[in-house]
Each structure stands twice: as C-alpha cells, then as structure tokens.
Amino acid sequence: MTDLTATTSTDIDSRLEGHRVELTGYCYRMLGSAFEAEDAVQDTLVRAWRNIEKFEGRSSLRSWLYRIATNVCLDMLNAGNKRARPVDLSGPTPLAQAALNPLPENTWLEPMPDGRILPSVADPAEAAVARESVRLAFVAALQHLPPKQRAVLILREVLAWKASEVAELLDTSVASVNSALQRARATLTDHQGDAAGADAADPLDEEQRKLLDRYVAAFEGYDMKALTALLHEDAVMTMPPFDLWLQGHDDIAGFMTSIGASCAGSRLIATSANGTPAFAHYKPNPDGPGFVPWAVQVIDIQDGAITGMHCFLDTPRWFPLFGLPDHLDADAA
C-alpha cells in the first residue's frame, strides 16, 4: 500500500498495530528497558498516525516506522541512559560479605516477556537469531555501544537490513554504516562475555525440560543438595534492584539458606523472558494463606547445567507486565 491517507482510520490503526511487537523488540534492544521500550513504541505509533499524510510511499511502511522508532530511541538515549546487570558493575560478593543494597530502577537492565518482543516467524533460523538477540547478556553488551552504532548493529545483524537500507534510514552513507558496524562488532566482542553459547529456549529439548523440572522440584522443596547438582560450578545469581551478585553453587546455596531462607516453601510458575526459560516466583504469604509474588526468575542454561538465576524482585512492575496473578491459593501446585 503506498497511499495510507486513502484508507480508513481503522485500517491505518490495524496496519500500525501489526508492527508493534517487532518495534517493541527493536526498542527494547536499543534501550534495555521494558517500560521505556513500550513508551518508545507508543510514541512511534502516535507520531506515525499524526504524520500519516507525510508518508509518501517511497519506502515501505515498516521502514518508515523503524525510522521514527530509531529517532525516538536516539532522543531517549541522548539523556545518557545505559542499563546494566549486577555482573556488569562489580565482582561477585563472597557470601560472608553479602548485603542487600538497592540501586535506582534506571540502573538496571530489565526483563521482557517473549510475547511482547518476539514476533512469530516461520523460519527456525530467524527465530533463533531473534531469541539470541534479546538475551539479557546480549542486550547488556549492546549497552556499551554508542547509540547510532547500536542501531546499526541491530538493524544489520539482527534484522538483516542491507547497508543501503540502514544508510537511508539514518541519513548517512553506506561507507559510514559499514564503518559503524565494524566498530560495533569489535566493541561487542569485548563485552559480550556470556552472551554467546547459552542453549536455545524454544523449543526446549527433552533434556532441557527435564533439567527445568528438576530445578522446580529442588527449588520448591528447598533441597540445596539437589539444586547445587543442577548448577554449573560458576553459576551466578543476581537480584536487581540489589547490586549484590553471587557466583558458585556453594555461595548461592548458602545465601538461600541464610538471607534468603524465607523463600523456603515457594512455588514456581513457568513463563518465558528474553528468549530463555523463566519462572514467576511466589513466596509463602507471611500474613495469611497462599503465596505472594517475590520475583521473576530468568534462567540461563548451558551444556546441560544452569549457569544463571536472574531474579528481578520489583514484582509490582514485573508481574502485571508478564500477565501473572498477584496471589496463588494455598493449594497451588
């Protein structure tokens, strides 16, 4: 369609909304924040609606929307936004020195439900690239790139745009795009760390499903021997908004039976986030029957072991975003 101004407002709404998920994925990779990404997409669609008469059809509607979204994200990033994981800010804390020190919300890279950022695609290889590109470690590595390099890398490497298409979107030359991509790749290699090598989450194979089943049984039973048997020896546990992070199954188990002892008797409900398995973690309600929200756990798996337990504790924000109930009954399985 080259003339959207000739269509009805309902048709325009439908065409714009059809791009929401992929645009949210793009803005999330750019910004590292679930809520900022959704705000950026809403701003993009509102700008598109208000300026629909200026869309002349020289490019596709999709390209035009990505141009708007890129400008929105670049404006937001000019404010200096750069989000991180606890592992990006300091070394691991020995259990004996563990203390829960919260940092401001805008410090942290945020989790995102798969359904909000991963559009359905028929090509398994394309789907795998999309999942890899929203993993926490990969999005954290992107935060080290200057904003325009970040846009170039995502558009070229993740979305498979041609250099000429990116140059047109950014109003620059193909040579400039290629140079930015080369610099971005070098920086990403230095900072990517554990962004590479994690096992795919969708579809889970039989061994991965068994591993997660054993993890749920060990966690809900608070069986530290069974849990540590599932963890890689260098597994990490993070707990934003706290800057503390632990490494190694001994320190993780020690924390869970000391500072984290109130999590005994919890329930886990399966979900998915950032292209990996995830769980809604409910603790026993201290004030009555049932269970109350405690964390969204994003789980990293590699080579048949759990390498990361990333527990996002700001449940008033995360549970509604993931569409999770705010209470579980006492007989919840």
Side-chain angles (χ1 to χ4, degrees):
M1 181 185 296
T2 58
D3 186 8
L4 284 180
T5 60
T7 65
T8 67
S9 60
T10 300
D11 291 336
I12 295 172
D13 283 341
S14 178
R15 291 289 303 279
L16 295 178
E17 281 295 323
H19 295 278
R20 181 180 289 275
V21 173
E22 65 170 312
L23 288 172
T24 304
Y26 175 63
C27 293
Y28 174 72
R29 296 177 183 99
M30 287 288 290
L31 302 170
S33 164
F35 297 100
E36 287 181 1
E38 295 204 326
D39 288 346
V41 172
Q42 190 60 31
D43 191 3
T44 296
L45 297 181
V46 168
R47 292 188 191 190
W49 174 264
R50 290 176 176 172
N51 293 281
I52 200 70
E53 72 280 356
K54 298 179 182 179
F55 177 64
E56 298 173 352
R58 287 194 296 265
S59 63
S60 69
L61 175 63
R62 180 173 183 257
S63 297
W64 186 59
L65 290 173
Y66 269 94
R67 176 189 287 269
I68 299 171
T70 300
N71 289 331
V72 170
C73 289
L74 292 179
D75 287 344
M76 295 173 74
L77 290 167
N78 282 338
N81 300 19
K82 181 182 176 182
R83 291 175 178 264
R85 304 166 300 166
V87 298
D88 301 318
L89 301 181
S90 67
T93 303
L95 178 59
Q97 301 172 21
L100 300 179
N101 302 308
L103 294 181
E105 171 273 320
N106 62 3
T107 304
W108 303 117
L109 184 69
E110 297 178 346
M112 192 63 151
D114 284 357
R116 290 180 179 262
I117 51 174
L118 295 178
S120 298
V121 294
D123 184 352
E126 185 180 344
V129 169
R131 290 195 303 273
E132 286 291 332
S133 69
V134 295
R135 292 184 187 276
L136 290 172
F138 184 83
V139 179
L142 289 175
Q143 303 295 299
H144 293 279
L145 300 177
K148 285 194 175 180
Q149 284 187 27
R150 202 179 304 180
V152 167
L153 186 132
I154 296 167
L155 291 167
R156 291 282 285 118
E157 301 279 83
V158 177
L159 301 177
W161 284 38
K162 297 177 181 178
S164 58
E165 294 172 328
V166 178
E168 181 180 357
L169 183 146
L170 294 175
D171 292 322
T172 189
S173 67
V174 170
S176 178
V177 166
N178 289 335
S179 176
L181 179 59
Q182 185 175 8
R183 295 195 304 273
R185 284 171 172 166
T187 301
L188 204 64
T189 298
D190 292 337
H191 292 283
Q192 196 169 354
D194 60 339
D199 293 346
D202 183 23
L204 292 170
D205 63 32
E206 184 178 358
E207 290 305 312
Q208 291 168 332
R209 289 194 296 271
K210 288 180 178 178
L211 177 67
L212 292 172
D213 287 344
R214 291 164 61 199
Y215 172 76
V216 171
F219 196 100
E220 292 188 344
Y222 233 59
D223 183 340
M224 293 301 110
K225 182 178 179 180
L227 181 64
T228 55
L230 307 176
L231 300 179
H232 188 277
E233 62 181 359
D234 293 325
V236 301
M237 181 178 183
T238 67
M239 291 162 281
F242 301 117
D243 58 1
L244 165 75
W245 66 280
L246 302 157
Q247 185 169 39
H249 43 58
D250 290 342
D251 277 1
I252 292 173
F255 178 89
M256 291 178 65
T257 54
S258 56
I259 297 174
S262 62
C263 289
S266 292
R267 294 291 180 267
L268 300 182
I269 303 297
T271 183
S272 60
N274 295 86
T276 63
F279 295 97
H281 175 188
Y282 291 83
K283 284 174 59 173
N285 184 359
D287 300 318
F291 303 86
V292 293
W294 182 246
V296 169
Q297 299 183 4
V298 181
I299 305 297
D300 292 331
I301 299 173
Q302 187 171 349
D303 299 330
I306 291 172
T307 57
M309 302 163 57
H310 307 289
C311 307
F312 295 88
L313 304 182
D314 192 357
T315 55
R317 301 176 75 227
W318 303 129
F319 275 50
L321 181 72
F322 279 76
L324 295 165
D326 59 7
H327 183 270
L328 290 184
D329 294 335
D331 60 352

